[in-house]
Every structure is written in structure tokens, then in C-alpha cells.
Amino acid sequence: MRYLKEIVKYFTCITTGIVILFIVLCFIQKDIDGVSTATLAEIPAAGLLTSIVTVVLYPSEEKPARGFKIQVLIHYAVLCAVMSITGVLFGWIDFNIFDILLMCVSTAAVYAFTYAVTYISSMQDADELNRALKDKNAR
């Protein structure tokens, strides 16, 4: 059940990040009219794939700093590979070095968005837990 909860949490955040990035890229490329309805199903599919990868590969903070950083880099590399393959299959990008690098930069943007949202959410959860502990200990 814990894994399902984590997948849902990351799916929501990652899919939102992909949608925001997609809108920004459409406006930059001035191609908002060329969006297909298939894309509306492809974005959540990509979000689901990457959320599963995140739940499986994202390291716990209990690791030493060096090991944690290496695992984060591996996680990011796998996400870039998944998104590049998904991007080619969905027709979002062509199979060339420029488009793959653009997908890696896009993946980094969604990664940063997801990290920030997750961090802010975790801080709020920690604050609530600390308040509850203070209230309990004050009794």
C-alpha cells in the first residue's frame, strides 16, 4: 500500500510538471494549435512510467551523502532514458542528439519541480508532526 501511495503522489506531481513544461514549450515554439488529443493521454502515461521509476529507484535519505548523490544521478539518468524513449515513441521528439538533450533538460526541469513540491509538502508534514508531538508532550 505504501508503494501505491508513493506512486500516486509522484504521479500527480510529475504529471503536473510535465503539463506545465509542455505548455511552456508549446508557447515558446508557437505551436499550441498543433497539440493532438493523443497528447492528453500520453502525458499521464509518461507521468505514470516516471513515477514508478521514481518509487523504485529514488534513494532513501538514510544513505551516506556520496552514495545518495550517485543514486540520484542514476535515477535521473534512467528518467532521461525513459523520457527519451517515451518521447520518440509518442512522437514528441525525433531520435537525434539535439532532441534527446532537450528531453534531458526538460526532464531536469520536471525533476526540479517535483523535488521542490515534494520538499515543501514534506516540510509541512514535518511541521504538523512536530506540533502534534509538542501538544502531546505538553499534556
Side-chain angles (χ1 to χ4, degrees), residues 21-61:
L21 180 67
F22 181 76
I23 291 168
V24 168
L25 290 174
C26 283
F27 279 117
I28 289 171
Q29 297 171 349
K30 296 178 180 22
D31 189 26
I32 197 75
D33 295 329
V35 175
S36 73
T37 53
T39 305
L40 298 176
E42 294 165 350
I43 290 173
L48 180 60
L49 283 173
T50 53
S51 65
I52 291 168
V53 168
T54 297
V55 168
V56 171
L57 290 182
Y58 194 77
S60 65
E61 283 85 21

Side-chain angles (χ1 to χ4, degrees), residues 83-100:
M83 284 307 297
S84 293
I85 292 166
T86 303
V88 170
L89 291 175
F90 289 161
W92 296 349
I93 63 170
D94 292 324
F95 187 68
N96 63 53
I97 192 70
F98 176 77
D99 283 0
I100 291 171

Side-chain angles (χ1 to χ4, degrees), residues 3 6 17 26-27 29 34-35 78 106 111:
Y3 290 114
E6 291 289 307
C26 283
F27 279 117
Q29 297 171 349
V35 175
V78 172
S106 298
Y111 201 104

